Amino acid sequence: RAKEKPMRILLIEDDTILGAAVRDQIAADGYSVDWVTRLDAADDALSTAVYDLVLLDLMLPDGRGIPFLKMLRGRGDVTPVIILTALDQVSDRIEGLNAGADDYLVKPFAATELLARVRTNIVLARMRDHHARWRTALIDSLQEALFVCDETGAVTEINTTFADMLGYDSAGLPYPPAYPWWPSAESDPAAHREVADAFADLMDKSHGTLSAVPVTHRDGHRLWVTATFTHAEDPDTGRKVIVGTLRDVTAEHYVVLRETALAALNEKLAQAATL
């Protein structure tokens, strides 16, 4: 079996003595270490490579680590970050953790403590990543389109079946109401009112089913869907969410229309007295 690549760590530290010591300690434990002394170099490194962990000093020649960390989290970078700093006030720790740090190590620190925290945070990050990938795979395996809305009604999560059904994928998330798949209020006001009323039910009722709601695929063709939904609570944040599924009932809808039209035609024919 091919030998596994060593886990890769980015060290951001401008103190050359401390930086060299940390690099050597981590490398001796089997990690691959890239060491930079400036935030702009760190940004370049994170933009071009994938790291298992970042060790971030808070005070650097070209800026502070906290705004840099907030910038990383703001653009969706979830690489675990351990802050290395001489600032040991409780307020400093809180600021770092609120900015998105996973751990906080005050200088001076023992090599054994540094390595223990590095190992622990990498293991925890891999567990979170495994859980996230398993959850995504499970959701995407569902045959019905799944969606999750926040308390404002904005769609924050969808699966691949949803994207295939309506043509709108996760790259456009979040989708705030009125959703782009709603019928146009200008060209089809009746259908727009119908789906707006259905949305009001979805927001007001704790659970339910919305039958044969008209929606518009991204390419412009009309679909009818049945939505089943329930209100729930996000276990991580405690916020209210709406979880629901869509089922494409377009074929069934047209069958009903055809049967209704045939029944009406038969009734007219039965009443006819002449050719």
Side-chain angles (χ1 to χ4, degrees):
R1 191 177 66 178
K3 186 178 180 180
E4 274 191 20
K5 290 183 178 179
M7 286 174 282
R8 196 169 181 181
I9 294 175
L10 178 64
L11 171 62
I12 311 169
E13 172 62 69
D14 66 321
D15 185 318
T16 55
I17 296 176
L18 178 62
V22 170
R23 178 198 59 196
D24 294 345
Q25 289 163 1
I26 296 173
D29 206 44
Y31 298 100
S32 172
V33 184
D34 293 339
W35 175 22
V36 298
T37 60
R38 297 177 60 87
L39 292 175
D40 53 5
D43 193 23
D44 290 341
L46 288 165
S47 299
T48 57
V50 177
Y51 290 93
D52 295 283
L53 182 77
V54 174
L55 296 171
L56 173 63
D57 184 21
L58 284 189
M59 305 302 294
L60 293 144
D62 56 339
R64 295 184 65 244
I66 293 295
F68 178 75
L69 178 55
K70 288 181 178 178
M71 181 269 293
L72 290 181
R73 296 305 189 225
R75 71 187 189 193
D77 192 317
V78 295
T79 307
V81 174
I82 300 177
I83 288 177
L84 307 179
T85 181
L87 303 174
D88 62 351
Q89 297 297 316
V90 172
S91 58
D92 298 320
R93 294 173 182 268
I94 292 173
E95 183 184 23
L97 294 173
N98 285 341
D102 296 85
D103 208 343
Y104 197 101
L105 195 53
V106 178
K107 304 173 184 177
F109 45 78
T112 52
E113 182 180 9
L114 170 64
L115 292 173
R117 291 181 184 243
V118 166
R119 294 188 199 108
T120 299
N121 279 279
I122 288 178
V123 169
L124 289 175
R126 289 195 164 188
M127 290 174 62
R128 289 193 298 267
D129 180 62
H130 173 76
H131 175 75
R133 286 187 287 109
W134 180 86
R135 179 178 179 274
T136 300
L138 180 64
I139 290 173
D140 284 342
S141 70
L142 297 174
Q143 298 300 307
E144 291 190 332
L146 181 136
F147 64 90
V148 178
C149 299
D150 65 16
E151 63 271 17
T152 69
V155 175
T156 58
E157 186 173 355
I158 58 176
N159 66 352
T160 54
T161 306
F162 185 103
D164 293 340
M165 182 184 296
L166 296 181
Y168 293 91
D169 58 26
S170 57
L173 292 172
Y175 291 106
Y179 308 125
W181 50 85
W182 280 14
S184 169
E186 289 75 26
S187 61
D188 197 347
H192 182 84
R193 283 195 300 272
E194 183 179 349
V195 76
D197 290 343
F199 173 75
D201 282 345
L202 180 142
M203 294 298 294
D204 292 341
K205 296 179 179 178
S206 61
H207 63 278
T209 299
L210 309 173
S211 300
V213 178
V215 293
T216 304
H217 190 277
R218 192 165 197 160
D219 66 11
H221 75 270
R222 174 56 51 84
L223 297 169
W224 277 265
V225 298
T226 291
T228 301
F229 65 91
T230 187
H231 288 231
E233 185 176 285
D234 187 318
D236 295 325
T237 65
R239 291 181 176 178
K240 299 296 182 183
V241 296
I242 302 167
V243 181
T245 59
L246 299 180
R247 186 168 62 89
D248 187 346
V249 295
T250 305
E252 294 96 317
H253 179 77
Y254 282 124
V255 167
V256 171
L257 290 180
R258 184 179 64 188
E259 291 178 348
T260 301
L262 287 173
L265 176 61
N266 287 334
E267 183 178 354
K268 292 294 184 182
L269 290 174
Q271 295 171 356
T274 65
L275 180 60

